Amino acid sequence: MDRNLIRIRSLDREDITKILEQSKVFLEILDRPIKKVPALRGKVVVTLFFEPSTRTRMSFELAAKMLSADVLNFAASTSSAVKGESLKDTALTMKALGADYIVVRHTHTGAPEFIAKQGDFRVINGGDGFGEHPTQALLDLFTIRQKLGRLEGLNVAIMGDIAHSRVARSNIFALNKMGANVRLVAPPTMLPVNIEKLGAEVHYRPDAILEDTDVLYLLRVQTERQKDSLLPSLKEYAELFGVNGDLLSKFKKDVMVMHPGPINRGVEISHDVADGNDTYIEEQVRNGLVVRMAVLYLLEGGKEAAHEAVS
Ligand code: NCD
C-alpha cells in the first residue's frame, strides 16, 4: 500500500482485501468494555474538514482514539481559514504541530494530493469535491461482504445523484476491482457523460434492475452542489426514484438497501424503508469505525500480524 490513501484507484485487489481482513479483526474491539488498543499510541491524527460532516469526521476521530492516537479536530468555519489562511499554510501549520496523519475533506478535487506534498505526514482523503471518498467505499464493501459473504459476481445498483457523488465514483472503482457488477440508475441529468467508461451499466429507471439486484445503494440529491436544477422538483424525483415499501417489494427478496448518509427521508428513501429490516445504514456507520481503524493502522505500517493489533 502507498503511504497515503487518496484514491481507490491506487489500491489493488490485494490491498483492498487486506484492509477488509484487518477491519474484521478490529470488530471485536467494539464489543469490549474498554474500546482501546495501543497501536497508534503517541501518534497525532488531525481531521482537517473544510466541508460539513457528521459521520466521516466523528468516525475518523473515534477510530483514531480507539487506536490510542491523539486527535486534533480542525473545522474550517472556526479556524484561521476564515481569515484567509491558505490550504498550504494550514498544512504547514499541521506539520509544525507534528501531525502524523491528516484526514482531509475539501470542496476541491485534488486537495488531498496538494496537502500530501506539504509534509511527510500520511494523508487520508475524507472526500474531495467530485473526486473520491475511498473510506466510504471500503466500509461499503465491508458491509456487503459481512452480509452476503462475497463481492465477486454481485449486482450492485447505485441510484441517485451520481453526477455529484464522490461516493459513487469510489464505489464504482472499488466494486469493479472486487469483481462486482455495477449498475447506475438516475435521470440523465444526474449522470456524467461517458460514465459507463468507468465500468458500469447505465439505466434511467429503476424498473430495469428490479429482479436481480443484490444491493441497492441510494444516494442523496446533492442540491447544494448543483449549479442548475437537474430536476423539475424533488417531489418528481421522489415519485420516480424514491424507494418506498411499494417499490422495494418489486425488488428481489432480501435486497440490501444501503446509503452513505445523510439521508433525505421522503426524497430518495421513505421513512418505512429507512427504518426497515432491509436497510443497512447503521451497520455502514458502525463498520466505518473498524475500516478507518484498519486504514490508519495499515498506513502506519501494520507490520505485526493482524491479530497482534488487538492485544
Ligand atoms: C457523503 C459525502 O459527504 O461525500 N457522505 C458521507 O461522507 N457519508 C455523501 C453526501 O454528502 O451525500
Side-chain angles (χ1 to χ4, degrees):
M1 266 174 68
D2 284 359
R3 53 180 289 111
N4 303 315
L5 175 58
I6 298 180
R7 308 276 158 218
I8 288 287
R9 272 174 285 178
S10 67
L11 299 177
D12 58 25
R13 200 172 169 137
E14 206 180 299
D15 295 324
I16 294 177
T17 307
K18 193 168 165 191
I19 295 168
L20 301 183
E21 288 302 321
Q22 183 66 52
S23 308
K24 208 156 121 187
V25 173
F26 281 139
L27 260 186
E28 180 249 321
I29 297 173
L30 301 188
D31 294 324
R32 290 186 188 179
I34 297 170
K35 301 175 180 57
K36 227 180 200 5
V37 291
L40 293 193
R41 194 163 50 197
K43 300 287 172 190
V44 176
V45 176
V46 179
T47 65
L48 198 62
F49 275 53
F50 290 86
E51 256 190 24
S53 168
T54 303
R55 274 155 289 270
T56 307
R57 203 204 53 72
M58 293 181 100
S59 175
F60 268 112
E61 177 175 357
L62 196 51
K65 285 180 170 167
M66 285 175 159
L67 293 172
S68 305
D70 294 311
V71 184
L72 300 176
N73 289 311
F74 166 102
S77 55
T78 54
S79 75
S80 289
V82 291
K83 300 181 187 168
E85 187 165 52
S86 70
L87 187 56
K88 177 171 177 155
D89 290 320
T90 305
L92 294 177
T93 305
M94 300 306 143
K95 180 176 155 188
L97 287 172
D100 295 294
Y101 292 83
I102 296 187
V103 181
V104 60
R105 168 167 291 193
H106 204 281
T107 31
H108 291 141
T109 311
E113 281 91 347
F114 177 80
I115 289 174
K117 289 198 190 111
Q118 312 307 322
D120 60 357
F121 26 64
R122 287 161 168 71
V123 174
I124 303 174
N125 182 1
D128 64 323
F130 299 155
E132 282 211 45
H133 193 346
T135 58
Q136 179 67 46
L138 291 167
L139 75 89
D140 294 330
L141 296 185
F142 185 81
T143 307
I144 297 171
R145 212 172 71 148
Q146 187 179 49
K147 161 80 178 146
L148 300 177
R150 68 190 167 104
L151 293 162
E152 182 85 48
L154 292 179
N155 296 323
V156 181
I158 304 177
M159 183 154 85
D161 188 359
I162 290 154
H164 293 96
S165 178
R166 52 197 175 206
V167 173
R169 242 175 303 278
S170 281
N171 263 305
I172 296 170
F173 297 133
L175 288 161
N176 271 329
K177 280 185 198 257
M178 301 312 281
N181 309 312
V182 185
R183 289 127 174 224
L184 306 175
V185 189
T189 48
M190 289 188 179
L191 284 160
V193 191
N194 292 332
I195 185 87
E196 59 283 351
K197 290 204 177 131
L198 296 185
E201 278 172 35
V202 171
H203 300 280
Y204 302 120
R205 287 280 183 276
D207 318 3
I209 53 135
L210 297 175
E211 276 148 40
D212 58 352
T213 291
D214 300 295
V215 179
L216 177 59
Y217 194 97
L218 304 178
L219 294 171
R220 184 172 70 86
V221 179
Q222 301 202 16
T223 40
E224 82 278 18
R225 290 188 196 279
Q226 297 173 8
K227 288 202 183 70
D228 304 307
S229 179
L230 302 180
L231 296 161
S233 70
L234 283 181
K235 189 167 168 284
E236 181 170 326
Y237 182 86
E239 272 162 27
L240 295 172
F241 296 92
V243 177
N244 53 26
D246 182 40
L247 179 57
L248 192 62
S249 69
K250 296 181 186 148
F251 275 87
K252 189 169 115 175
K253 192 173 169 292
D254 295 333
V255 61
M256 276 182 88
V257 179
M258 297 173 70
H259 194 308
I263 64 173
N264 286 153
R265 287 172 183 255
V267 185
E268 73 274 10
I269 190 166
S270 66
H271 282 277
D272 54 333
V273 173
D275 300 328
N277 290 337
D278 293 312
T279 304
Y280 288 79
I281 300 172
E282 283 173 36
E283 282 82 349
Q284 286 172 272
V285 175
R286 188 171 160 86
N287 289 336
L289 270 176
V290 288
V291 168
R292 291 178 174 122
M293 285 170 84
V295 168
L296 288 163
Y297 176 69
L298 291 171
L299 289 184
E300 178 53 31
K303 286 176 218 76
E304 306 137 54
H307 64 272
E308 284 175 29
V310 297
S311 59

